[in-house]
Structures are given as structure tokens and as C-alpha cells.
């Protein structure tokens, strides 16, 4: 009787032998090659285990000492390089200054010696008179002032940075920055009117911690509040009387002082409302919009003077300080043309919707001119253009959101990028109340604490809520 042939080809040596299957890969190995194969797998497992332990140790080290983090190291390197550039520039200026000073002092000394000779001559000739004395005193005052305040030598600071600026961009956070394209109507939406369930050209909005919506109801001459999920609003300023509150375009909700501050485009006033009582804060100003920073400073955009001014709270009796524009109407970097909405970030940089220049400008604190951070490529609907921008918001990542009013969309720009992107809208001018993916001249925008986006859909007389996509 012949023996059963149970030999198969070994995967490694390719010889016909008695083989054994590997449970992992299902390949057949002879006994010798299977042992070797298992040794190789064991070595690979040990290698992975060692790498795992090394990685675990790195995590523990970085927890104990965050300075070892690569991102922190890059920031430290930038800091060191920037300091070196500043020190080099300072040393250059010191050398130049030290070179100027001897010449400057020699000039002063020469003038002093000339004056000394004149005094000696008058003494010698004994012909002093009132005219001579006045002349001598004026000459002495002049050279003294020149010594104390050398007008020919001064420090000029350039607002343009000569070091490379850095910022932190997190792709982790930006991936959440998308919103459902069909909105929910959360206020108005019942046609143009003055009933409590209606709005008439809402310009500006504010969302509080409870998701209540405060609205500058321009056409109805009032400020209304819509409680969360309410079917109608309640008047909290104006009482619908024109002589009390006329055409509000801008609004600040000062929760700390339980008041509302409104800007009136046609009345040329900024008014504080507290318990239906009004106080005129600023008069005779062609105000468009307004905002407040974290330090309590108060900013107003003046469309006629083409500037933005800042006041310290409770000091409205002065003229304020110009923080942007103020150099006449124009499209140069130190000019504005009909500024509307403004936003102030943590560093007191001021962002402005430069309405008639179809761009958004950023003016750093104490800068003499701004930089274009959105639009600025003429009027149009391309992704690098805007058409009469209004509502404005800048998030913690420096991303700029702007209500592109006449393009009926909300755009987002990352500073330094040529093109923006459409966030919501951009589907044509919507004039039907059931078209929830369209906007009709959006003029204001705001985010709640959950990053849902609210838009004042002005010409549709409603407030739209676009829910964030998580």
C-alpha cells in the first residue's frame, strides 16, 4: 500500500516538503522555514514594542516639559531671530546717531561762540539798547531750545514691520468652520412690517449667552429682542416712535452696564438707552456703525469724514482719537471711503468694512496706514472681490468673516490669502421667504457660543441662523 503524499511547496524554499500553515498569512512553510519565519515576526514585534515605548517616553517628556514641543521651538526660534534683527537695527541707528551728535554739538557751539562774540562787542562798545538786548535774549532762547530739542535729529518709526510676523493656524479647528446651507428663520420672516412678529430692514444683530437676539430694526425705528425660540419680539428701545429712535444702523449691547448704545446714520448721533431712557453720548457725528473692545474703548465709523474714532468710556465730551483713516476720501492705504462695520481684536487692531472701496482694511494699533485683508480688487463677485461689504467678524484664528452685501453672501478670508471663500449664500438674490439658502443684501452677522452663524438678511426682513456642521 502506497504512503499518502501530503507534501506541498514551501513558500520560502519552494521545495516539496511537509508544510505547516501560518495562521496569520495562511502561507505554507516547512518546519525549518516556519521556525525562521516565526523568529522574524518575533523580532518585528520586539522592534514595534521598542518604538512604542520610545513614543510613550516622548509623550511623558513633553507633558512634563512643554518647551520641547516642536511648535514652541519654532516660536522660540522666530523670537530669537526677530530679537537679533531688532538688535542689529538698533545698533545701526546708534552708530548713525553717534555720528550725527558731534556735528550737531559743533553747530550749537559755533552759534554759541558767535553769540558770545556779539555780547563781548556790545560790552566793549558800551552801546547796549533795548533792541540789542531783545535780539541777544531771543538768540540765546533759540540755541537753548535747539540743544534741548534737536529738531534735525529725531526717531522715525515705520508702521510697517521689518520682521517676519507669525501666527498660529490650526487645521484641526478650521475643519469645523462649515455651516448648513439652508438656514432657520429665528426672527422676522413674516414680511416687511411693524408688528411684533415682523422686521423692517434689520441692520445689526447681537446674540447673548442665552441665544436671545437683539436687533437694530432700522425701518421700524426701534431695537427689538427676540427670546430664544420666540415667535415674536419685544421692543426694548424706541417704542416705535420716530422722535425717540430714528433709523438705527449700528448697535452695541453693553451687558455689563445693562444698556444699549445705538448709532444713527441720519440723526448724526450716538445714543445710550437704559430702561427706555436715552442719553446722547456723541452729537454731530456722521456715524455708521460702532463697537467696543475688551478694555471698554468705544469705536465709531464716521462715513462723512471717512475715519474711525475711538473714545474712552465715559469720556464722550472730547473729540476722540482717530485710529483709522482721517486722510480724506480715497483708496490709498491711509484712506477710507464710506467705512461701515468695524471689529476690534485682542491687540486693538481695527478691521473696517471699507464700503465704497469694496475691501476690508486692518489698521494695527497706532499705525499710520492700513493693510488690505479682504477684497481690494475692484467691485465684483469673484472670490477675490467684494461688492459693498458691511457686517464684519474676526475669529480667534484671525479668519475674517464679512457680509458681502450686494453679492448676497457671507465670505471668509484668511489674512494673507488673495481669494476668499463663500460661507453661506451666494445663490443669487433671494426674495422668497422659503428660499433658505439665499440672502438678500445681508448687512450684519454674529456667532453664538456654539459657533452657529446668524445673519441679518436685511431686504428679506428676517434673521437667518446657519447651524455649524460638526
Amino acid at each position: 500500500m502506497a504512503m499518502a503524499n501530503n507534501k506541498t511547496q514551501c513558500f520560502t524554499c519552494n521545495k516539496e516538503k511537509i508544510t505547516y500553515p501560518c495562521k496569520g498569512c495562511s502561507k505554507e512553510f516547512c518546519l525549518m522555514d516556519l521556525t525562521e519565519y516565526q523568529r522574524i515576526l518575533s523580532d518585528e514585534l520586539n522592534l514595534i514594542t521598542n518604538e512604542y515605548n520610545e513614543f510613550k517616553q516622548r509623550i511623558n517628556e513633553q507633558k512634563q516639559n512643554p518647551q520641547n514641543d516642536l511648535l514652541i521651538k519654532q516660536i522660540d526660534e522666530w523670537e530669537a531671530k526677530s530679537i537679533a534683527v531688532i538688535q542689529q537695527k538698533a545698533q545701526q541707528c546708534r552708530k548713525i546717531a553717534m555720528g550725527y551728535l558731534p556735528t550737531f554739538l559743533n553747530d550749537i557751539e559755533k552759534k554759541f561762540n558767535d553769540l558770545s562774540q556779539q555780547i563781548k562787542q556790545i560790552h566793549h562798545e558800551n552801546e547796549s539798547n533795548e533792541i540789542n538786548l531783545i535780539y541777544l535774549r531771543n538768540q540765546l532762547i533759540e540755541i537753548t531750545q535747539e540743544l534741548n530739542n534737536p529738531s534735525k535729529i529725531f526717531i522715525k518709526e515705520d508702521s510697517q514691520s521689518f520682521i517676519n510676523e507669525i501666527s498660529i493656524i490650526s487645521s484641526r479647528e478650521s475643519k469645523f468652520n462649515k455651516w448648513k446651507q439652508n438656514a432657520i428663520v429665528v426672527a422676522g420672516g413674516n414680511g416687511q412690517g411693524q408688528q411684533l412678529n415682523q422686521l423692517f430692514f434689520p441692520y445689526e444683530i447681537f446674540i447673548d449667552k442665552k441665544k436671545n437676539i437683539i436687533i437694530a430694526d432700522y425701518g421700524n425705528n426701534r431695537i427689538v429682542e427676540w427670546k430664544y425660540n420666540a415667535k415674536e419680539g419685544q421692543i426694548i428701545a424706541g417704542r416705535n416712535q420716530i422722535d425717540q429712535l430714528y433709523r438705527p444702523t449700528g448697535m452695541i449691547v453693553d451687558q455689563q452696564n445693562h444698556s444699549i448704545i445705538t448709532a444713527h446714520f441720519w440723526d448724526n448721533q450716538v445714543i445710550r438707552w437704559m430702561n427706555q431712557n436715552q442719553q446722547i453720548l456723541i452729537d454731530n457725528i456722521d456715524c455708521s456703525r460702532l463697537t467696543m473692545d475688551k478694555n471698554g474703548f468705544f469705536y465709531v465709523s464716521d462715513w462723512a469724514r471717512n475715519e474711525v474714532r475711538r473714545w474712552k468710556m465715559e469720556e464722550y465730551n472730547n473729540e476722540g482719537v482717530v485710529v483709522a483713516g482721517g486722510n480724506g476720501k480715497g483708496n490709498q492705504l491711509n484712506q477710507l471711503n464710506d467705512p461701515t462695520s468695524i471689529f476690534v481684536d485682542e491687540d486693538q487692531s481695527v478691521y473696517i468694512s471699507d464700503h465704497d472701496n469694496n475691501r476690508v482694511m486692518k489698521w494695527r494699533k497706532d499705525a499710520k496706514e492700513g493693510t488690505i485683508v479682504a477684497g481690494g480688487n475692484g467691485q465684483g463677485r469673484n472670490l477675490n472681490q467684494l461688492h459693498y461689504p458691511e457686517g464684519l467678524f474676526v475669529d480667534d484664528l484671525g479668519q475674517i468673516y464679512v457680509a458681502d452685501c450686494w453679492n448676497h453672501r457671507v465670505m471668509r478670508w484668511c489674512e494673507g490669502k488673495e481669494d476668499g471663500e463663500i460661507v453661506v449664500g451666494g445663490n443669487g438674490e433671494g426674495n422668497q421667504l422659503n428660499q433658505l439658502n439665499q440672502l438678500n443684501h445681508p448687512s450684519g452677522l454674529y456667532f453664538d457660543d456654539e459657533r452657529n452663524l446668524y445673519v441679518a438678511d436685511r431686504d428679506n426682513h428676517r434673521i437667518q441662523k446657519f447651524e455649524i456642521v460638526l
Side-chain angles (χ1 to χ4, degrees), residues 80-98 154-163:
K81 289 178 181 177
S82 299
I83 290 172
V85 170
I86 292 170
Q87 288 176 334
Q88 183 180 7
K89 186 71 176 179
Q91 187 60 26
Q92 290 173 355
C93 290
R94 286 191 193 99
K95 288 182 179 179
I96 294 171
M98 293 303 292
F154 58 91
I155 300 295
K156 179 184 177 182
E157 293 190 31
D158 192 343
S159 62
Q160 299 299 312
S161 175
F162 62 91
I163 61 172

Side-chain angles (χ1 to χ4, degrees), residues 167-186:
S167 58
I168 302 298
I169 304 298
S170 171
S171 58
R172 232 179 120 204
E173 291 193 40
S174 62
K175 73 178 182 180
F176 295 110
N177 291 338
K178 294 187 180 297
W179 290 265
K180 294 179 181 179
Q181 295 303 295
N182 283 335
I184 302 169
V185 178
V186 291

Side-chain angles (χ1 to χ4, degrees), residues 236-283:
I236 57 176
R239 292 181 180 171
N240 207 22
Q241 296 179 19
I242 292 178
D243 61 340
Q244 282 198 316
L245 195 155
Y246 185 61
R247 300 290 192 254
T249 54
M251 174 187 64
I252 295 173
V253 178
D254 187 357
Q255 293 179 293
Q256 184 175 352
N257 296 311
H258 307 288
S259 66
I260 294 173
I261 302 172
T262 55
H264 300 265
F265 185 88
W266 299 106
D267 261 357
N268 303 330
Q269 291 179 329
V270 174
I271 299 174
R272 186 205 298 273
W273 295 82
M274 188 178 296
N275 299 324
Q276 285 288 356
N277 296 317
Q278 59 173 306
Q279 172 195 4
I280 297 176
L281 300 181
I282 306 172
D283 207 356

Side-chain angles (χ1 to χ4, degrees), residues 220-328:
N220 282 324
N221 307 298
R222 65 190 184 186
I223 305 296
V224 294
E225 180 181 22
W226 286 61
K227 298 290 187 183
Y228 181 60
N229 283 338
K231 301 300 181 184
E232 62 180 32
Q234 59 187 38
I235 300 170
I236 57 176
R239 292 181 180 171
N240 207 22
Q241 296 179 19
I242 292 178
D243 61 340
Q244 282 198 316
L245 195 155
Y246 185 61
R247 300 290 192 254
T249 54
M251 174 187 64
I252 295 173
V253 178
D254 187 357
Q255 293 179 293
Q256 184 175 352
N257 296 311
H258 307 288
S259 66
I260 294 173
I261 302 172
T262 55
H264 300 265
F265 185 88
W266 299 106
D267 261 357
N268 303 330
Q269 291 179 329
V270 174
I271 299 174
R272 186 205 298 273
W273 295 82
M274 188 178 296
N275 299 324
Q276 285 288 356
N277 296 317
Q278 59 173 306
Q279 172 195 4
I280 297 176
L281 300 181
I282 306 172
D283 207 356
N284 298 318
I285 181 171
D286 297 293
C287 48
S288 176
R289 304 292 174 91
L290 65 171
T291 193
M292 188 184 300
D293 67 17
K294 64 176 183 178
N295 300 311
F297 286 98
F298 180 77
Y299 300 74
V300 180
S301 57
D302 188 323
W303 62 270
R305 295 181 180 87
N306 296 292
E307 65 187 19
V308 176
R309 284 184 178 267
R310 181 184 68 205
W311 280 263
K312 190 173 182 180
M313 289 297 285
E314 311 305 336
E315 292 185 5
Y316 303 107
N317 54 350
N318 58 37
E319 295 183 352
V321 177
V322 176
V323 294
N327 297 297

